[in-house]
Amino acid sequence: KLCECQRRRAMAATPDPNNKVGVSAWIINPNGSLVYDRFFGGPGMKSNEKLRVASTFHGLSAIAAQVSPVRAPPGGQLAGLQNRGITSIEANAYTLTCFHSPTGLKIFILSPLGSGGLKGEIEPRLKEVHEAYADYVLKNPFYEPDQPIRCELFDERMDQLFQDCRVGAVRNNQGFRNMLGGISAFIRR
C-alpha cells in the first residue's frame, strides 16, 4: 500500500492522455540565468516555475558534465569536444533536448514525447534557434549580454521556426508540472 506522498509522486509521473501540451523553447546563459522562454501551442508556466525548470536543468547539466566518464584527450584535435552536460532527457510523456553552444549558452526544447509537430527535427531546430540568436540578438546594438532577450525580430523568427507546433488544442499546463514533479522526485532519491 502506497503512502500519500508516494501516490502523489506516481500520479505526477503518469502522463495524462487528455492533456495535450505544446512545445517550449528556452535559453539559459552561461551563468545559469534564464534569458528567454517561449511556449508554442500552450499557456506556459508561472514565472517561478520557469525559473525552477531552468535552474534545475542548468544544475543537473553542470553536474553531468563533471561526472561524465567520457573525456576528450587534453590538447590535440579533439580538445574542443569536452562533454558540456545533458543533451537529452526523456521522461514518461516529455522530452527535453538541449544544444550547448561553444560559448556556454544552453538552448533547450521541451516537447511531448512523440510530438507530431516536430517530426523528429528537434536537433536541427535547436541549431536554427542558435543561428537566430546570433543573427537577431547578438547583432542588436541595444541588447546587453546576460539580460532577458526582448527582440521583436527574434520572436518573429521563433514563431516561424515553431509555427507547426501551435496546432492542436491545449487544455492546461499540468503536463509540464507533472514532468517537473517526476524530475523532482528523481532528484530527491
Side-chain angles (χ1 to χ4, degrees):
K1 186 171 181 175
L2 298 174
C3 71
E4 181 64 26
C5 66
Q6 289 173 327
R7 192 164 8 108
R8 267 191 252 134
R9 283 185 194 156
M11 287 178 62
T14 305
D16 179 4
N18 297 321
N19 186 21
K20 298 187 186 309
V21 178
V23 173
S24 61
W26 306 63
I27 299 177
I28 303 173
N29 69 13
N31 301 323
S33 299
L34 179 65
V35 294
Y36 186 82
D37 63 277
R38 187 84 180 262
F39 289 80
F40 304 95
M45 298 181 187
K46 295 178 183 174
S47 58
N48 284 343
E49 291 173 329
K50 294 176 190 177
L51 294 173
R52 185 176 35 170
V53 169
S55 62
T56 301
F57 177 72
H58 177 73
L60 288 174
S61 187
I63 291 168
Q66 293 293 318
V67 300
S68 173
V70 179
R71 295 275 184 224
Q77 294 178 351
L78 301 176
L81 298 177
Q82 294 293 331
N83 186 356
R84 298 183 190 274
I86 296 172
T87 56
S88 156
I89 297 175
E90 191 171 301
N92 291 346
Y94 300 92
T95 302
L96 182 150
T97 309
C98 183
F99 171 75
H100 298 268
S101 77
T103 59
L105 195 72
K106 291 178 184 67
I107 301 170
F108 67 93
I109 295 175
L110 278 173
S111 62
L113 200 57
S115 178
L118 291 177
K119 298 176 187 155
E121 300 175 358
I122 294 177
E123 291 182 22
R125 285 191 199 212
L126 285 168
K127 291 179 182 174
E128 289 181 41
V129 170
H130 185 254
E131 288 174 13
Y133 173 80
D135 288 343
Y136 298 112
V137 177
L138 293 180
K139 293 178 183 177
N140 182 348
F142 301 108
Y143 176 70
E144 293 184 34
D146 298 332
Q147 294 300 310
I149 297 170
R150 307 255 188 270
C151 178
E152 192 173 316
L153 291 174
F154 182 69
D155 286 340
E156 288 174 10
R157 179 65 181 133
M158 294 294 285
D159 286 339
Q160 290 172 357
L161 286 172
F162 293 96
Q163 67 185 356
D164 55 343
C165 298
R166 293 185 177 279
V167 179
V170 177
R171 299 190 195 306
N172 58 34
N173 65 350
Q174 187 62 38
F176 286 110
R177 289 190 185 113
N178 289 346
M179 186 182 74
L180 280 177
I183 290 173
S184 298
F186 175 76
I187 293 170
R188 280 182 249 156
R189 290 183 194 156

